[in-house]
Amino acid sequence: MKENFEAVLDRCLAQIRRGEADVETCIACYPQYSPWLQGILETATFLEQAPIPEPRPEAMSRGRALLLTEVENKRSRMIASAPPWRQWLGAIRLSGQFPVPRWVGTVVVVLGFLLLSNATFATAEKSLPGEPLYPVKQAREYVRLALTFSDVDRANLRITLAERTVAEMAEMDRMGRSEEVTRLASRLAQHLAEAGRLVEAVGKTDDVQALRLRLEESAMQELVLLEETLETAPAETKVALVEVIRTSGKEYGQAP
Amino acid sequence: MWVETYVGKQKITSNGRAGEPAYEVILIARAKELDSDAWTEIYQYHYPRLYAYLYHRLGHRQLAEDMAANVFLQAFERIGSFVYRGTPLSAWLFRIARNMAADHFRRGKTTPLPLNDRDVACPESTAEEAVERAMTLEKLNLALRGLTDRQRQVLLLKFVGGLSNADVGTVMGKPEGAIKSLQHRALAALRRLLEVGKGR
């Protein structure tokens, strides 16, 4: 009974507040609760319609000025303590003139990073084994290989990498770094073997004919360079070089 | 007037009406970005009701004005941690006001209610109307003082603050059912007190 009355009272109060009913209408709807409901609803109406104490305009202005001073102070502190690019972005955001989403800041940072990365990659491309940026160059090679899906493109890429490895080997040989020459020779053999396998896998198409010619030409140049290197190479490097020469010779021999 | 802004990655569009949930989300996001216009809007909309609540609660005009202003300063300090989860900003502000008033009473600073017709003065009203308003307010104040603190709070938050039962529950830390029950008892008690006042 009590619970029901509370629900009825709440419904009536909501209807009166929304202007959908008055006290009389509500009592007519729930005669079983009259006159108790009438007394309560009249009290609620009296409360709703009672005069509301109003603040003095000067007090309200004073409070608003205090609040806005705090907002301004915090804003100035935040802008002053931020790095210049954030100050610039923050000034736009905080001006409230443009609805700049938060992710704009992230995009600016990523773009900056990419620009820096491009410069890093360009420098890394010229690096040699043992130099700080050489691992970046190698990582980029792996990524390129992983992201090349067609067999023809992969074979072309392997040939390009083989040519680059030979150039690095010649440079390392000139500098007398025989350990690096051995390591590079092993990588070169890997590139050539993989290029040969891919060429075989592709079958007989026009693309493959061009690819075979390129592989042959590249293998021939590498063979010449490797043989030159072999002449001056120390004993410990010779075994690796001979193995690579054998692979290059094989690829050269496969060409039409 | 349609208003749009980004809250995180989400773009929110609102009809720009004060109190509308989407608009409140936008307003809160702007307030967090230290937008002065947003704070002005929040202040202008909520200050009068907070003042009225505190006036009845504290019984002192000057004190209520200062405390209402302080509610916004505290809200400004804490806005960073405010997350909109459907509870309106008004409920959050009233909760701050309620806690401030409770602190005030805890410190033992109770003040008598100075009934003054200027407190409810309305620029358009005649002198007679002003007197009548003051008398009604006096009658109401006296009756409210006869209620328990919780009964007084529930009526003030609902009828002066304009909050829903759910929001009153949020402010007082009670479930909605308990608020309905408290509201019933409070209105019944107020009715008896007003009846007694009539007889005097």
Side-chain angles (χ1 to χ4, degrees):
Chain A
M1 176 78 177
K2 191 187 166 202
E3 237 186 343
N4 284 342
F5 180 79
E6 277 163 10
V8 166
L9 174 64
D10 201 51
R11 199 170 306 125
C12 287
L13 287 175
Q15 284 174 345
I16 292 171
R17 184 176 265 194
R18 290 197 298 264
E20 294 167 3
D22 54 18
V23 176
E24 284 72 33
T25 323
C26 283
I27 294 162
C29 288
Y30 305 101
Q32 70 272 33
Y33 295 119
S34 178
W36 180 245
L37 182 63
Q38 182 175 2
I40 300 273
L41 287 179
E42 278 172 358
T43 309
T45 311
F46 170 74
L47 250 178
E48 288 265 22
Q49 292 167 357
I52 293 172
E54 286 173 18
R56 289 170 298 178
E58 62 269 26
M60 205 169 155
S61 305
R62 196 175 53 238
R64 187 176 52 236
L66 264 174
L67 174 67
L68 294 181
T69 307
E70 281 296 305
V71 174
E72 263 323 300
N73 286 346
K74 192 168 181 182
R75 197 170 130 138
S76 308
R77 279 200 305 273
M78 272 183 75
I79 292 178
S81 63
W85 69 270
R86 284 201 66 179
Q87 282 183 23
W88 173 78
L89 196 68
I92 294 176
R93 282 182 66 79
L94 295 178
S95 72
Q97 287 173 1
F98 309 102
V100 183
R102 269 188 191 283
W103 53 262
V104 167
T106 315
V107 169
V108 168
V109 172
V110 170
L111 280 177
F113 176 76
L114 285 177
L115 282 173
L116 276 175
S117 302
N118 271 343
T120 310
F121 285 146
T123 316
E125 283 301 294
K126 294 171 193 162
S127 64
L128 290 168
E131 289 179 359
L133 285 177
Y134 191 72
V136 177
K137 185 181 180 179
Q138 275 186 295
R140 209 172 169 208
E141 283 179 10
Y142 292 132
V143 171
R144 283 176 70 188
L145 280 169
L147 296 179
T148 308
F149 301 106
S150 124
D151 283 348
V152 175
D153 291 344
R154 280 175 75 87
N156 267 315
L157 181 58
R158 286 283 184 182
I159 295 167
T160 306
L161 294 178
E163 287 166 359
R164 195 152 80 168
T165 310
V166 169
E168 284 175 6
M169 279 172 71
E171 192 59 30
M172 290 295 104
D173 184 51
R174 195 184 59 76
M175 291 164 78
R177 290 168 61 184
S178 56
E179 271 180 26
E180 290 296 346
V181 174
T182 313
R183 199 172 297 140
L184 289 168
S186 144
R187 202 185 304 161
L188 175 62
Q190 205 181 338
H191 286 315
L192 289 172
E194 191 59 23
R197 190 189 65 75
L198 287 166
V199 169
E200 282 308 302
V202 171
K204 288 181 181 174
T205 60
D206 288 345
D207 277 351
V208 173
Q209 292 307 317
L211 198 59
R212 277 181 192 282
L213 281 172
R214 191 181 166 209
L215 180 59
E216 181 203 347
E217 201 177 306
S218 177
M220 190 176 72
Q221 283 171 6
E222 281 151 19
L223 211 53
V224 172
L225 199 68
L226 286 167
E227 277 167 355
E228 278 174 12
T229 312
L230 186 65
E231 281 173 22
T232 53
E236 65 268 24
T237 339
K238 276 191 168 47
V239 181
L241 283 175
V242 167
E243 176 59 27
V244 182
I245 288 168
R246 197 180 59 76
T247 316
S248 293
K250 194 175 152 196
E251 299 310 332
Y252 177 63
Q254 277 180 358
Chain B
M1 182 190 69
W2 289 91
V3 184
E4 62 182 38
T5 195
Y6 289 90
V7 177
K9 288 177 189 167
Q10 202 184 349
K11 187 177 178 181
I12 292 182
T13 309
S14 153
N15 60 15
R17 262 187 240 130
E20 190 237 348
Y23 188 64
E24 274 215 342
V25 174
I26 292 174
L27 209 54
I28 291 162
R30 282 172 53 204
K32 283 184 179 184
E33 296 294 339
L34 310 177
D35 181 340
S36 301
D37 290 343
W39 278 105
T40 305
E41 219 172 303
I42 291 171
Y43 185 89
Q44 292 294 114
Y45 185 71
H46 294 284
Y47 183 95
R49 288 197 300 158
L50 281 165
Y51 165 77
Y53 165 77
L54 287 168
Y55 175 85
H56 282 297
R57 198 86 179 79
L58 304 169
H60 195 283
R61 184 176 64 181
Q62 172 86 50
L63 200 58
E65 284 169 348
D66 291 348
M67 199 175 279
N70 283 334
V71 167
F72 289 94
L73 293 178
Q74 206 171 104
F76 174 66
E77 287 302 314
R78 295 194 202 161
I79 191 77
S81 59
F82 180 82
V83 182
Y84 187 86
R85 290 194 186 97
T87 304
L89 191 61
S90 56
W92 185 59
L93 293 172
F94 272 102
R95 197 180 172 96
I96 295 176
R98 177 182 176 262
N99 291 342
M100 274 188 168
D103 280 349
H104 172 80
F105 288 123
R106 255 197 299 275
R107 287 197 300 266
K109 291 178 184 171
T110 49
T111 45
L113 180 71
L115 293 170
N116 187 337
D117 56 2
R118 284 175 305 168
D119 295 351
V120 284
C122 180
E124 292 86 26
S125 62
T126 62
E128 282 152 25
E129 283 168 343
V131 170
E132 197 184 324
R133 278 164 65 87
M135 282 172 69
T136 312
L137 189 67
E138 180 182 1
K139 188 175 148 191
L140 176 62
N141 272 315
L142 281 171
L144 283 171
R145 294 199 152 257
L147 299 176
T148 66
D149 189 49
R150 285 194 310 170
Q151 286 174 344
R152 190 164 49 242
Q153 279 200 54
V154 85
L155 294 185
L156 288 177
L157 289 168
K158 177 140 184 184
F159 295 96
V160 177
L163 302 184
S164 68
N165 287 339
D167 296 338
V168 173
T170 304
V171 175
M172 293 182 68
K174 290 189 181 301
E176 200 177 338
I179 296 299
K180 281 183 190 172
S181 183
L182 195 56
Q183 172 186 257
H184 171 208
R185 289 202 303 274
L187 283 170
L190 184 68
R191 183 183 166 227
R192 278 194 300 276
L193 289 162
L194 287 169
E195 287 296 321
V196 171
K198 257 187 207 170
R200 279 183 189 167

